[in-house]
Amino acid sequence: MASSLFDKVWQAHLVERIPKGPEVLYIDRHFIHEVTSPQAFADLEKRGLPVFRKQKIIATADHNVPTENQHLIIQEPLSRKQVETLSENCKKHQIELFALGHEYQGIVHVIGPELGLTLPGMTIVCGDSHTSTHGAFGAIAFGIGTSQVAMAMASQCILQSKPKQMRIRIEGKLKKGVTPKDVILYLISKMGTDGATGHFVEYSGNVFQQMSMEGRMTVCNMSIEMGAKGGMIAPDDTTFSYIRGRKFAPKGMEWERALSYWKSIYTDVNARFHKENCFDALDIEPMITYGTHPGMGIKISENIPVNTEDENYKKSLNYMGFQQGESLIGKSIDYVFIGSCTNARIEDLRLVARIVKDKKKAENLQAMIVPGSQQVARQACEEGLDHIFQAAGFEFRQAGCSACLGMNEDKIPSEAYCVSTSNRNFEGRQGPGARTLLASPMVAAITAIEGKIVDVSRYIEKMDLFN
Amino acid sequence: MKKFQRLISRAVPLPLENIDTDQIIPARFLKATTRENFGENLFRDWRYRADEQSREDFVLNNLNHTGEILLAGRNFGCGSSREHAAWALFDYGFRVVISSFFADIFKGNALNNGLLPVEISQGFLRELFHAVESDKSTLLCVDLEKETLQIAGTDRRESFSIDPYKKMCLLKGYDDIDFLISLKNKIESFEEKHPSFLSL
């Protein structure tokens, strides 16, 4: 029977079926971080259970860490305790930890791929919904709750019903200045925030085939924002050359064996999906969100839609301080945040640097760039990007989740507008009362220079950024 | 995990859609290393103003509406995977959340914590909102064994479905770890056949 990439990977990890119940799925890689793991370790201890396969767990501290002065002790007592608890738990259970200050520390969904810990054909879980990022490599990767973190620690398996499958196909050539972030914001605006709930998505078509791994990660990262269990892209030569030679990637004969397996896990021509959605690349333009969920996105040059009936919609626009039917062009912005597991990789930083080089940020706003990992930060410095950012008046900080989620010190003040490269514009996500507009690193960088939302398509022509 | 079998209770109506887990429990309250006391900060920024004063217009601050059932609009629990959202609802005193649609991860987290997500049709949900808002003493009856939700004292009812395995866990108060541990031998023999390049 013809099967999909998802079917093939799922089938290869099936330990047991429960009659009329979920399936027992073996997990190859379990990433943990400080926020969603302490109660799981406590659960195990309470039951007197050991960690079953400690070598399959990789830990880092990212959500709750400061992005300045990381060499100093964490000031905030609760954050410090949480980060220290992770270190203690990892030490006790002999789990590999890339702690604050370690050369490999960073956002969990940035370090997994860059260290070669994320591989095609794997099953990957983490107590974080953006685990879907790793699907960019052709892995089944999804976020889990803390109870499931405990299950995975205790048995290296989780109980999971097999989700339905959806294919999203985009063919054609993207217009100049349209980035992977615009592609996924466009998809979410079309699908809605629950359009893929209950489904695992495979992205296919030449738009994704031509994307870099960084771009594919940005797309798969935000699969969860349309409700999907996860998203994945078939591994190809782009994938293999990204992985080859990375720290923990297979080497020698293991590499050859892995490669031949990875080449066999594509979706068969006649494979059936529960849903198929096709879009035309030419429909996609630089995007921005105007509301309080990621589905509320428009082309940057469009007006905010009019919908006078819906109370949820009115509440959302009221929170944002926007009017129905108005344009965002010309709106003054207070903060620009470039970072998060969606857009804090080296390719994102390079694009920002090309835009802001020899320019100054507008005086009315603060602009912050937070690299996704220590390795990204080092690479940026080696390429001299840090100087470009600083000369343009941007703060170039240390690795962490930062202002994506308003958990650490990096927060946006109440009622301030922030153009952010992160993944969620929920009420209060970046701090109580903060107003978030999600966009690509390119739109964020241009906004920082202009101090307001501008029609970037004209800007792109003028700057001749993309030849 | 606490058992759940049947509940008759009033319901608290929160007729908003797409209630994400950042609203249920904002990230700045996720710094604890235990599971306790998250109820204090349930819907924190909807319940309290920045100066800590209660927002009178939010339903949890309206003493006329109480109960162990939360009634909410579609796509409840979207966004972050934080299980703290389920802990906060449970700790506050809710045992059931009724909506016409739940986000996947939230639904799983709720079920793993003895909080029953009851998914019903959009039409019946509207009817329940109307019933509860027009008569605050309306009682709803949730029967897990029969998989039914009924407006008590009326013939208005709808059935809901739940994964049979999770239903058994809730009825008996079992959880998944006990089950997975019992499969240890099967897991070990699976590992022996699993490709080594996936088992680094």
Side-chain angles (χ1 to χ4, degrees), chain A residues 16 20 26 28 39 43 47 53 76 79 82 145-147 151 194 198 254 312 405 407 424 427 429, chain B residues 17 22-23 27 30-31 34-35 46 74 79-80 83 104 109 164 175-176 178 186 191 194 196 199:
Chain A
E16 174 94 336
K20 293 190 199 163
Y26 190 79
D28 293 313
Q39 293 89 351
D43 284 358
R47 291 162 189 260
R53 293 287 180 254
E76 212 273 317
S79 301
Q82 205 172 46
T146 297
S147 296
M151 287 171 213
D194 55 5
E254 279 288 85
N312 295 293
L405 85 165
M407 178 159 195
R424 290 191 172 130
E427 284 184 30
R429 171 78 179 181
Chain B
E17 297 182 351
D22 274 85
Q23 307 317 313
L30 306 186
K31 299 189 185 204
T34 65
R35 287 176 185 248
W46 287 353
R74 65 175 282 117
S80 157
E83 192 164 312
D104 282 334
N109 288 341
D175 63 30
D176 296 343
D178 300 324
K186 281 192 172 149
E191 285 178 325
H194 199 50
S196 57
S199 329

Side-chain angles (χ1 to χ4, degrees), chain A residues 242-260:
Chain A
Y242 178 96
I243 297 168
R244 190 175 200 133
R246 291 192 183 257
K247 174 86 180 166
F248 296 100
K251 309 267 175 348
M253 284 303 290
E254 279 288 85
W255 171 261
E256 296 304 325
R257 289 178 52 217
L259 198 58
S260 77

